[in-house]
Amino acid sequence: MNNFSYTQAASTKEAATAAQGDKNAAFISGGTSLIDLMKSNIEQHSLLVDLNKLSLLGIENAATGLRIGALERMSDVGENPQVVQNYPVISQALLASASPQLRNMASMGGNLLQRTRCGYFRDTAFPCNKRVPGSGCPAQDGDNRTLAILGGSESCIATHASDLCVALVALDTKLTIENAKGQSRSVLLSDFYKLPGKTPHLENQLQPGDIITAINVPAAAHARKSHYLKVRDRASYAYALVSAAVGLDVQGGTIRSARVALGGVGTVPWRVPAVEKALVGKAPTEENFRAAAALAVRDAAPKEHNKFKVELAQRTIVRALLEVMA
Amino acid sequence: MEPQFSDQPGGFVGKPLVRVEGREKVTGKAKYSAEFALPGLTYGVIATSPIAKGKIQSIDTTAAARELGVIAVLTHQNLPKLAKTPNDAAGKKDTGAPMGFLPLTGDEIFYAAQPVALVVADTLEHATHAATLVKVNYAPQKPIADFHDPKAELFDPEKVQDGKQKGHTKRGEPQAAFASSAIQLTATYTHPVYNHNPMEPGSTTAHWEAPDRLTVYESTQGVTRTQSSLAAMTGMPREQIRVITKYLGGGFGCKGAMWPHTILTVQAAKAVGRPVKLMLTRPQMFTSMGHREDQSQVMKLGASADGKITSLIHTKQSTTSPWDNYAEPNSKIVDLLYASPSFESSYELARANVMTSTFMRAPGEAPGSFAIECSMDDLAARLGVDPIEIRLRNYADHDYGTGQQWSSKSLKQCYARGAELFGWSKRNPKAGATRDGRYLVGMGMASASYPVHNSQGTARARLYADGHAVVQAGATDLGTGTYTVMTQVAADSLGLPIEKVRFELGDTQLPTAPNSGGSVAAGTVSSSVYLACQDVWQKLIKAAVIDKKSPLYRAKPEDVAVEKGRLFLKKDPKKGEPFGELMKRGEITDIEGMAQGKYGSGYEDAAAAKNADATEKDQAGHHSMHSFGAHFCEVRVDMDLGTIRVSKWVSVIGAGRILNAQTARSQIIGGAIFGIGSALMEETIRDPHYSRYTNADLAGYHVPVNADIPNMTVEFVEEHDPYINAMGVKGIGEIAMVGVAAAVANAVFHATGKRLRDLPLTPDKVMMAGLPS
């Protein structure tokens, strides 16, 4: 970890101004991810601008949707009764993340920006195109068991590690982002993340000085009947091998709308519209679930050690859909 | 024969006493090795090599040296020289080093994360940052990652476990017997690298109190062994070196010998003329203190049509370092467990760019039991016989390997009691046939065993006239209860209440105790404590019989006995007095006893301890000495997703006298969880091209969390073994995990009908095996 300066901002404007003075500045909120990255010398920031004094709080459940302040802690949102009742997939994804201690500290906005757990990215002794553009990607023919089968490129197959984002992209979530000039814009979370392509170091649409201020989830019947299923190597405190966020609106024995997204398999949180489309108009049966789930992995490009994810992703979707119907 | 401890009425030995040091630990007062704040203390941080093979071409330390607070940047170019290094065969033997190479002695790189520099600074933060600024230019070469590497060359090492064990053993005509067996089973069992990962990383605080006086606060399982290694390397007499380990946050074998970071810290302290503290980082723990080697075992089992074993043939291939022939001796337990008329084992090693592997909890017994106990399960399934029944058919009524009788063996009781506690009778004989919703449910079991190795150690007991005592041995408490059980033994032996006895350990200034490893500590140290207390009584009896005012005046010492601190005539128990009266009258403020306790073969036959070969030494007594046990496991396997959860666990162990029912139970639980981790999730992954680990932290290396573990049932079979030591204690640190991986894998087989032999049994392997749906 390098030496760095630290300052606390009282407003988004103050934060943006502070950050603009130093091109190696970073914002810090919970710090559970950033400090790890700095301790491992993966990121080196000369200035940390603390956002925790900003008033980006609140969990507001309205008829139109849910608005979550970016500085809300993961545990507070995961245990919020309104979220549990109206957006179970979000609550379940949050409570399946990390450990209670980390969830108490980590912010919602920060979670959206967490970086991959790929072992080659996490150890500066290895080449890694995401960490050092152009240095190479040993994961392609190395230890790739936990890496992506969807959305990868020759440059990078690192998996996006968040559980929360899988639930949020499934529910058409939009972010409110404020720029350095104090202007707000709204971005669909599924557009927010960038596929690695030849530039895996560019992960999202944030510009210098941008601050995520809120997370907005539209209300929907499929949000109320939703579920998150996470398959992992141990019962708790592990990243997903595969996870699925699903939501169904079933009326009169027919699926009226469906939402399905996958975690652990994509280089970004992986929504599968083809699966959703295949479900709509069908009866919620295991057979129909299975046929639809097969569409999720049509474009899968597995490597030597992650071939199992092609099958496991389908089974995870089916199981999640069965459980949401149970 | 030495006296044997016997239970005292109302005594403490065996009782579930809570840890005597528990309050100190939970209040943070217990000082672990990295918590001694010495005046002028500085902090050392190691910089390591990114490459696994090559040469250092140049090192530029200017940027690091310029950093705030940096006191020294030490490399192979400027580190003070040592009297001896382990880099040659003689040096390795003299230093007792586990690895035949000391980093920072040259410019060659042999393994990834090999230390290349040590930065000393005024704070940990300054040293940590400066270590990243040491610029090293390497000429990299292509490394060999493991024994599977196409460039790796397998060879027969003749001896394994660093030359301590025979590589080849043969009994009878196993090949011919196998070829003519009605049932022939051949299977390959594999597992990856495992790392010990104790909660407390390795740490050293080195303090040169004078140019010829060194004190080291060390995270070690044995202060004496560390002292002896330091003496050889520094060229100083042992008595000028003091090693202290008051508390240890786990070891599991990785702290059993002295690894490079310790001597490097000592050299650094010499170089800067101030005390230096160095604690390994968690990632460094994967490449600094050894590991359990990646390995493949081929197990051939021949049996008659009625399931009696005719032949066992075991071969093992594994990865070792460029210098050492280390392989866990897996074959010993394969030879031991059953009545096989023939047996053969052999080992093959391949050198790769890795550090030397080392003992890790039940070295040899843990992986060896996985092979033989899964094979026994296969044999049972093949014949349609219950897994316990197949083991009883092959029950070894003596040690077939040595021909010796057992000193004691309660394995049949362990099977029976375990089956009863577990509900084994409810097990459906058919595999893959028990369901609960979308879960396949399976029950499996396995036998466990661990040797009573040869060992000895010394203890001192000082009894004060006012009725309190201080008892000492240079032993280690790994966190498992040594402080507590030795206090119990001393209290009973001296007839004192627990709170009047203080037990001290972890210091080379105390009488010499063995390393806490190989399950020897409890039996050896408790015996020496008991005998040291007997020595106190012998001295007091001698004082009594010459004291004119004593009721025992002029009695023969051998006619005097002691019970609950009262000396009395055996023939006339009314005639006697409490020790306090005798001591006060004679103005004896305190009296000290000292004794050596022997453990294992040396207890039966003193000559046994002289043998050089570790196995032969263990076998040189008149009896074959082992603990035995049985583990029972129920798993629930998700038939779609392949996840396995252990849902029920029973361990029943016969290990001689149990010193503390509570700490012993905890130790068995801990060992079983250790084994469940190895069975289901633990794995250090080495990149095949870079020979460097890709998951060297506790996010990537999974050990079980609470949610993975059900409530566990542990029982001990009462066992009295007069042949093994004065306390009749066998030790339980390692048997706790022997057979555990097999019990889990056997339960998975019973649940799914699929035999999985490649650990760990992660969901991908289970799912891809094709489960019944």
Side-chain angles (χ1 to χ4, degrees):
Chain A
M1 184 185 264
N2 57 293
N3 291 319
F4 61 89
S5 309
Y6 167 88
T7 183
Q8 222 170 28
S11 66
T12 46
K13 187 159 173 48
E14 208 177 294
T17 310
Q20 272 181 326
D22 186 332
K23 69 179 170 47
N24 290 320
F27 296 126
I28 180 166
S29 44
T32 55
S33 193
L34 183 73
I35 299 298
D36 265 1
L37 291 163
M38 289 180 72
K39 280 168 78 177
S40 308
N41 289 304
I42 296 163
E43 291 189 16
Q44 292 172 323
H45 300 290
S46 42
L47 171 67
L48 295 187
V49 181
D50 189 340
L51 303 181
N52 286 299
K53 285 277 165 70
L54 273 53
S55 52
L56 305 176
L57 294 172
I59 305 169
E60 295 151 31
N61 182 46
T64 51
L66 177 71
R67 185 185 178 284
I68 305 167
L71 280 175
E72 285 291 338
R73 305 294 143 169
M74 289 172 71
S75 49
D76 291 334
V77 179
E79 288 158 16
N80 181 288
Q82 297 288 349
V83 177
V84 171
Q85 195 182 337
N86 298 303
Y87 303 88
V89 68
I90 295 176
S91 166
Q92 291 163 10
L94 282 166
L95 298 182
S97 303
S99 69
Q101 294 89 334
L102 288 165
R103 296 196 294 267
N104 286 341
M105 197 70 198
S107 72
M108 293 291 285
N111 186 288
L112 306 178
L113 302 177
Q114 71 173 289
R115 307 196 70 188
T116 185
R117 299 306 307 190
C118 173
Y120 299 98
F121 173 77
R122 291 273 159 178
D123 179 353
T124 57
F126 283 115
C128 169
N129 289 324
K130 190 184 271 299
R131 194 167 19 77
V132 183
S135 60
C137 179
Q140 307 279 345
D141 61 350
D143 166 26
N144 45 40
R145 175 175 174 264
T146 61
L147 300 183
I149 56 170
L150 291 160
S153 68
E154 282 177 16
S155 297
C156 183
I157 50 170
T159 318
H160 194 275
S162 167
D163 293 300
L164 170 66
C165 297
V166 181
L168 293 181
V169 294
L171 297 183
D172 310 286
T173 298
K174 285 179 176 167
L175 305 182
T176 308
I177 299 171
E178 197 171 308
N179 70 11
K181 291 179 190 150
Q183 299 158 325
S184 275
R185 67 184 192 276
S186 183
V187 177
L188 200 60
L189 184 61
S190 49
D191 294 337
F192 178 72
Y193 296 108
K194 293 181 174 176
L195 289 172
K198 287 180 178 162
T199 54
H201 59 292
L202 304 174
E203 297 180 348
N204 58 53
Q205 291 192 6
L206 285 185
Q207 297 297 316
D210 279 357
I211 295 172
I212 300 169
T213 56
I215 297 164
N216 305 286
V217 191
H222 55 240
R224 278 190 299 279
K225 194 176 179 65
S226 64
H227 183 58
Y228 190 72
L229 176 65
K230 183 175 180 180
V231 182
R232 40 187 159 174
D233 282 329
R234 63 181 166 190
S236 176
Y237 198 34
Y239 293 91
L241 290 171
V242 174
S243 67
V246 301
L248 289 180
D249 175 13
V250 182
Q251 290 177 35
T254 304
I255 299 170
R256 301 289 291 268
S257 74
R259 293 292 181 273
V260 181
L262 288 166
V265 294
T267 52
V268 298
W270 203 260
R271 177 106 176 242
V272 277
V275 178
E276 295 171 358
K277 218 170 137 189
L279 289 169
V280 172
K282 304 271 169 52
T285 64
E286 185 167 350
E287 201 183 350
N288 287 336
F289 293 161
R290 191 158 290 148
L295 302 173
V297 289
R298 272 183 312 183
D299 301 326
K303 299 288 176 181
E304 185 182 356
H305 303 292
N306 62 7
K307 293 192 180 84
F308 73 94
K309 288 190 176 183
V310 176
E311 179 64 28
L312 186 57
Q314 300 173 63
R315 294 187 185 194
T316 307
I317 292 173
V318 173
R319 176 67 69 83
L321 289 168
L322 287 173
E323 285 181 0
V324 83
M325 289 304 298
Chain B
M1 200 84 154
E2 288 160 347
Q4 285 259 337
F5 177 88
S6 55
D7 284 316
Q8 306 294 301
F12 300 102
V13 168
K15 298 289 184 307
L17 201 74
V18 296
R19 281 175 169 74
V20 294
E21 82 287 12
R23 174 174 283 272
E24 288 189 348
K25 281 183 173 167
V26 298
T27 55
K29 286 189 183 125
K31 271 193 184 175
Y32 287 79
S33 299
E35 297 182 312
F36 288 83
L38 303 173
L41 184 64
T42 65
Y43 298 80
V45 169
I46 289 173
T48 62
S49 163
I51 64 164
K53 185 173 174 16
K55 251 197 165 94
I56 296 173
Q57 290 186 311
S58 63
I59 304 185
D60 181 358
T61 60
T62 37
R66 247 196 335 250
E67 272 298 306
L68 184 69
V70 171
I71 297 161
V73 182
L74 301 163
T75 69
H76 69 281
Q77 292 159 342
N78 63 349
L79 200 67
K81 291 284 170 273
L82 291 168
K84 262 182 197 149
T85 73
N87 294 8
D88 56 76
K92 180 157 190 239
K93 189 164 179 287
D94 293 347
T95 60
M99 182 160 80
F101 168 70
L102 183 67
L104 273 69
T105 53
D107 58 2
E108 228 176 317
I109 301 297
F110 296 99
Y111 59 95
Q114 176 182 319
V116 293
L118 197 163
V119 178
V120 182
D122 59 345
T123 67
L124 174 63
E125 290 76 11
H126 286 151
T128 302
H129 178 50
T132 66
L133 301 177
V134 177
K135 295 281 168 271
V136 184
N137 279 319
Y138 300 95
Q141 293 162 10
K142 186 141 179 46
I144 294 176
D146 57 36
F147 72 94
H148 294 296
D149 194 300
K151 282 194 299 189
E153 291 171 20
L154 286 159
F155 65 95
D156 175 353
E158 290 181 22
K159 288 205 160 199
V160 294
Q161 208 180 21
D162 215 15
K164 292 186 187 74
Q165 309 269 357
K166 270 185 262 181
H168 275 273
T169 46
K170 190 178 171 191
R171 252 183 332 103
E173 294 301 330
Q175 302 290 352
F178 184 81
S180 61
S181 292
I183 295 169
Q184 300 175 4
L185 303 176
T186 301
T188 303
Y189 298 87
T190 53
H191 72 67
V193 171
Y194 292 127
N195 277 90
H196 309 72
N197 276 317
M199 205 183 296
E200 179 202 23
S203 83
T204 303
T205 305
H207 184 199
W208 289 89
E209 291 169 19
D212 60 353
R213 261 186 61 209
L214 171 67
T215 297
V216 177
Y217 304 87
E218 176 75 351
S219 180
T220 175
Q221 290 170 235
V223 289
T224 302
R225 180 159 177 180
T226 301
Q227 180 196 42
S228 141
S229 293
L230 286 172
M233 289 192 192
T234 59
M236 292 205 306
R238 279 172 69 143
E239 61 274 16
Q240 285 164 225
I241 299 169
R242 183 178 179 192
V243 181
I244 296 169
T245 307
K246 285 297 170 190
Y247 295 95
L248 200 75
F252 313 118
C254 78
K255 296 173 182 170
M258 194 183 89
W259 293 96
H261 67 273
T262 304
I263 186 66
L264 293 179
T265 308
V266 167
Q267 288 171 279
K270 187 95 184 175
V272 302
R274 287 168 68 176
V276 176
K277 172 159 90 178
L278 184 145
M279 184 172 244
L280 296 169
T281 64
R282 182 58 64 182
Q284 286 174 347
M285 280 302 288
F286 289 78
T287 45
S288 301
M289 303 182 80
H291 55 272
R292 198 193 294 276
E293 68 271 13
D294 43 316
Q295 53 192 273
S296 170
Q297 310 174 68
V298 177
M299 182 76 243
K300 290 175 123 183
L301 184 154
S304 62
D306 63 348
K308 292 233 171 82
I309 297 171
T310 53
S311 169
L312 292 171
I313 302 166
H314 181 270
T315 57
K316 167 172 162 170
Q317 294 183 337
S318 57
T319 305
T320 191
S321 69
W323 322 278
D324 304 307
N325 292 350
Y326 192 93
E328 294 177 276
N330 300 26
S331 53
K332 283 164 61 185
I333 192 161
V334 179
D335 190 16
L336 180 95
L337 276 176
Y338 299 106
S340 175
S342 73
F343 173 78
E344 186 171 3
S345 70
S346 59
Y347 293 79
E348 283 187 309
L349 300 180
R351 301 208 181 283
N353 292 100
V354 300
M355 79 175 306
T356 303
S357 52
T358 193
F359 14 79
M360 179 164 166
R361 204 171 200 169
E365 281 79 9
S369 64
F370 177 58
I372 181 67
E373 287 303 283
C374 287
S375 296
M376 291 302 283
D377 211 55
D378 279 344
L379 179 62
R382 177 78 166 264
L383 293 170
V385 170
D386 183 89
I388 297 178
E389 167 59 23
I390 202 74
R391 286 167 171 84
L392 291 172
R393 278 188 202 176
N394 290 286
Y395 184 82
D397 59 358
H398 67 279
D399 182 341
Y400 277 64
T402 64
Q404 292 167 318
Q405 295 301 308
W406 306 113
S407 63
S408 60
K409 181 176 183 179
S410 309
L411 184 56
K412 283 181 180 171
Q413 294 94 310
C414 294
Y415 291 149
R417 182 61 182 149
E420 186 184 336
L421 288 167
F422 185 79
W424 185 256
S425 60
K426 292 191 212 107
R427 180 180 183 267
N428 185 336
K430 198 167 149 45
T434 308
R435 302 233 175 138
D436 178 9
R438 304 199 79 97
Y439 293 93
L440 303 164
V441 183
M443 297 180 177
M445 58 81 58
S447 309
S449 179
Y450 193 78
V452 175
H453 291 304
N454 180 286
S455 170
Q456 61 282 317
T458 314
R460 177 164 59 210
R462 179 182 287 180
L463 177 66
Y464 292 84
D466 67 358
H468 77 276
V470 176
V471 182
Q472 301 169 318
T476 319
D477 188 333
L478 276 79
T480 45
T482 310
Y483 274 112
T484 309
V485 299
M486 298 314 155
T487 305
Q488 290 171 274
V489 171
D492 279 8
S493 304
L494 294 171
L496 296 176
I498 282 286
E499 60 275 13
K500 293 288 184 188
V501 178
R502 178 183 165 82
F503 181 72
E504 296 177 343
L505 55 67
D507 190 332
T508 47
Q509 292 195 340
L510 305 180
T512 305
N515 254 29
S516 274
S519 295
V520 307
T524 312
V525 181
S526 65
S527 294
S528 57
V529 164
Y530 164 68
L531 294 170
C533 295
Q534 296 312 306
D535 192 39
V536 166
W537 295 133
Q538 288 311 313
K539 285 178 176 159
L540 278 179
I541 289 168
K542 278 179 196 153
V545 299
I546 57 168
D547 180 346
K548 285 180 186 161
K549 290 184 180 160
S550 171
L552 299 168
Y553 180 56
R554 285 196 165 166
K556 285 187 189 154
E558 57 269 31
D559 291 339
V560 181
V562 186
E563 213 175 275
K564 295 223 156 203
R566 184 172 172 273
L567 292 69
F568 59 91
L569 266 183
K570 287 177 191 165
K571 281 182 285 188
D572 184 6
K574 272 183 244 147
K575 224 172 178 185
E577 63 177 332
F579 71 87
E581 282 180 22
L582 168 69
M583 288 176 76
K584 278 172 198 154
R585 194 173 53 244
E587 294 185 328
I588 307 169
T589 54
D590 53 341
I591 189 155
E592 217 169 70
M594 192 152 170
Q596 188 194 41
K598 288 177 180 154
Y599 174 87
S601 60
Y603 179 72
E604 260 199 320
D605 181 355
K610 289 180 186 139
N611 214 307
D613 181 283
T615 310
E616 285 172 16
K617 192 188 276 191
D618 286 350
Q619 295 171 347
H622 307 301
H623 288 84
S624 180
M625 305 169 176
H626 296 266
S627 51
F628 290 92
H631 301 291
F632 292 78
C633 174
E634 181 190 81
V635 294
R636 292 164 65 83
V637 182
D638 188 307
M639 60 201 292
D640 301 311
L641 308 176
T643 50
I644 300 171
R645 298 285 177 255
V646 175
S647 47
K648 194 192 274 188
W649 190 270
V650 172
S651 295
V652 180
I653 307 288
R657 181 187 299 281
I658 297 304
L659 292 168
N660 179 317
Q662 178 162 284
T663 57
R665 176 179 180 273
S666 295
Q667 205 166 1
I668 299 297
I669 287 173
I673 294 171
F674 211 94
I676 291 170
S678 76
L680 295 182
M681 61 192 83
E682 293 189 38
E683 174 172 24
T684 317
I685 302 163
R686 201 183 285 138
D687 179 273
H689 307 291
Y690 291 83
S691 194
R692 184 179 175 92
Y693 297 128
T694 60
N695 64 333
D697 61 37
L698 291 181
Y701 185 94
H702 293 144
V703 297
V705 296
N706 284 327
D708 291 297
I709 302 299
N711 192 16
M712 300 174 105
T713 302
V714 174
E715 266 197 24
F716 296 97
V717 174
E718 196 175 325
E719 198 177 66
H720 300 279
D721 191 328
Y723 304 110
I724 49 175
N725 52 64
M727 292 297 296
V729 167
K730 287 181 176 174
I732 52 172
E734 334 236 358
I735 190 172
M737 87 166 285
V738 180
V740 168
V744 174
N746 292 344
V748 171
F749 170 75
H750 181 240
T752 64
K754 300 286 175 187
R755 173 60 66 183
L756 297 171
R757 298 184 166 91
D758 176 32
L759 299 180
L761 306 183
T762 45
D764 46 334
K765 292 177 192 167
V766 180
M767 188 197 75
M768 296 304 267
L771 301 183
S773 55

